Amino acid sequence: RQILAINPSRMQFDTQPKAAFVERFGFRGVSADGRYAFLLEHSLQKNAQNEVTLTVLLVCFDKKTTKTHTIYEQEPVSLAQQKQFLAQKTWQNCVFSFASGAFFEINHDNLRGKLHSHLGSVSWHLRLHRQHQVWQLKNPLWYWLKKWPAYKVQLADSKIKYLGKIQTPDLDLATDFLGSSFHYWGAGHPAEYAFAECHHFNSSREGFFCGFSRRASLGPRFTLPYFSMASFKIGQKTYHFQELKHCVRHKVTALDDYRWHISYQNAHYILDVEIEGANPRLMPWVSWQSASVAIKTTDFAQGKFTLYRRDTLEVEESLLSEVVTLQTHLPENMTHEPSYWLIP
């Protein structure tokens, strides 16, 4: 059994002066009928001038109409507000009220909140049935070392069932969802990355995939290799591709705004992953900016996962999915647009 490197819901926000920092804690879910998905994200962001901003965003994806319904609330946080918020210590039990009257509340069993816009209000009240299945990278140094790596990610609960309502001016969703909660923190964002997560496969067995590729930048003349890791579970078997000595050897064969292809290897297996996100005209995508980075995401990418034995190249598993979360950021998508939401 894996020993947890750190408490997966503990707030990690760095209050050191003159150091940019981002912490994001959020929830994702896909409706039982496969038509809708939601993303609810709470983030604290600090720039080099030590100015702190708290943002909450809610996105609802409609696969049938290929539309997204989006809203966010953002507010500068004073030092007193920052101390009060961080004194709650955990994202699993916290609350914040905005000057506009908007608010959010997270506790072990419920998510509640309300945001306002010129188009009307958006509210959510979801009961959580947690499985307490944490996904963390197996090497605890990833989390124990504060400065390396500069960006850390984990799933605080890789399997959550949500029951309740999400109401927007255009949608009234009263259904159940299946998804996860995620936790990211670090000195901003990598120059380039792709992250993917999947719970739904064309198999009667339960499955799970979580993986990423990221690459730092040393300027236009130098191209560093991708740093990649993943875990893949189907039925009772779990396959990890997380050895530090191999993390730069996994082969990224495609990474752009709407797709990610990679071949992972460990001592015994090869895992080929092909994730296709089509484009925003054919699939619901959303894009927003965080610390001058344009983040693009969909919950309805298509995925192909093929597992081979390294010694014989015999296919061990070949699975498809129509419901893959894909999130990307590319260096050419750096932005200083005045608007928060961006064209996907």
Side-chain angles (χ1 to χ4, degrees), residues 125 314 339:
H125 190 174
E314 178 185 353
S339 59

Side-chain angles (χ1 to χ4, degrees), residues 294-327:
I295 297 173
K296 300 175 184 284
T297 192
T298 183
D299 276 355
F300 290 115
Q302 297 180 341
K304 182 179 180 181
F305 305 83
T306 310
L307 184 74
Y308 305 88
R309 296 192 64 89
R310 278 193 69 172
D311 52 359
T312 63
L313 294 183
E314 178 185 353
V315 174
E316 190 98 345
E317 298 284 354
S318 182
L319 298 171
L320 302 174
S321 177
E322 300 281 325
V323 188
V324 182
T325 294
L326 176 62
Q327 187 170 104

Side-chain angles (χ1 to χ4, degrees), residues 11 15 112 205 251 260 292:
M11 293 178 179
T15 56
R112 292 195 313 126
R205 297 166 296 165
K251 296 179 181 178
W260 175 43
S292 299

Side-chain angles (χ1 to χ4, degrees), residues 1-9 25-27 92 108 128-137 143 153-162 178-183 197-199 201 205-210 231-238 240:
R1 183 177 178 180
Q2 182 180 350
I3 299 173
L4 297 185
I6 62 167
N7 182 322
S9 301
F25 194 91
F27 300 83
Q92 193 165 280
H108 183 271
L128 309 183
H129 292 261
R130 299 176 180 269
Q131 300 294 317
H132 301 287
Q133 295 179 4
V134 178
W135 181 81
Q136 292 179 334
L137 295 171
Y143 303 102
V153 64
Q154 59 183 338
L155 299 183
D157 197 332
S158 65
K159 188 177 180 182
I160 301 177
K161 187 175 183 180
Y162 307 86
L178 180 66
S180 63
S181 66
F182 60 88
H183 193 185
E197 181 187 344
C198 182
H199 300 263
F201 298 92
R205 297 166 296 165
E206 288 193 0
F208 169 72
F209 170 82
C210 188
S231 293
F232 176 59
K233 180 180 180 181
I234 187 69
Q236 299 300 312
K237 294 184 178 180
T238 302
H240 295 293

Side-chain angles (χ1 to χ4, degrees), residues 13-226:
F13 194 69
D14 189 349
T15 56
Q16 297 285 329
K18 297 184 180 179
F21 201 82
V22 173
E23 181 171 12
R24 296 163 32 207
F25 194 91
F27 300 83
R28 292 181 181 272
V30 177
S31 64
D33 63 4
R35 174 174 174 175
Y36 298 102
F38 77 88
L39 164 65
L40 174 64
E41 181 175 295
H42 318 76
S43 66
L44 280 170
Q45 181 178 316
K46 179 163 66 72
N47 60 22
Q49 290 74 45
N50 226 35
E51 299 166 327
V52 178
T53 303
L54 191 149
T55 306
V56 177
L57 68 86
L58 177 66
V59 181
C60 292
F61 302 89
D62 186 335
K63 186 176 184 180
K64 184 176 180 179
T65 65
T66 71
K67 290 182 178 179
T68 57
H69 306 265
T70 60
I71 189 171
Y72 80 100
E73 190 96 16
Q74 194 170 60
E75 186 173 295
V77 178
S78 68
L79 183 59
Q81 286 177 305
Q82 180 184 324
K83 288 182 176 179
Q84 184 179 15
F85 184 77
L86 295 178
Q88 299 175 106
K89 296 185 179 180
T90 174
W91 287 101
Q92 193 165 280
N93 189 17
C94 64
V95 63
F96 185 84
S97 296
F98 293 87
S100 66
F103 77 96
F104 72 84
E105 178 183 352
I106 306 171
N107 62 46
H108 183 271
D109 300 315
N110 291 278
L111 298 177
R112 292 195 313 126
K114 192 169 189 177
L115 304 180
H116 306 294
S117 77
H118 66 283
L119 297 175
S121 297
V122 170
S123 64
W124 60 94
H125 190 174
L126 299 167
R127 286 180 289 129
L128 309 183
H129 292 261
R130 299 176 180 269
Q131 300 294 317
H132 301 287
Q133 295 179 4
V134 178
W135 181 81
Q136 292 179 334
L137 295 171
K138 293 177 72 63
N139 190 327
L141 289 177
W142 179 277
Y143 303 102
W144 289 346
L145 299 177
K146 197 167 185 179
K147 299 294 184 181
W148 184 92
Y151 321 100
K152 305 180 191 295
V153 64
Q154 59 183 338
L155 299 183
D157 197 332
S158 65
K159 188 177 180 182
I160 301 177
K161 187 175 183 180
Y162 307 86
L163 299 170
K165 279 190 174 185
I166 300 175
Q167 294 177 301
T168 80
D170 303 311
L171 284 178
D172 189 354
L173 299 179
T175 183
D176 58 323
F177 300 85
L178 180 66
S180 63
S181 66
F182 60 88
H183 193 185
Y184 170 93
W185 67 96
H189 299 87
E192 182 176 356
Y193 76 76
F195 170 86
E197 181 187 344
C198 182
H199 300 263
H200 307 267
F201 298 92
N202 63 335
S203 172
S204 58
R205 297 166 296 165
E206 288 193 0
F208 169 72
F209 170 82
C210 188
F212 65 86
S213 292
R214 71 163 199 239
R215 181 157 65 181
S217 174
L218 290 178
R221 294 186 179 182
F222 300 96
T223 301
L224 293 174
Y226 287 102

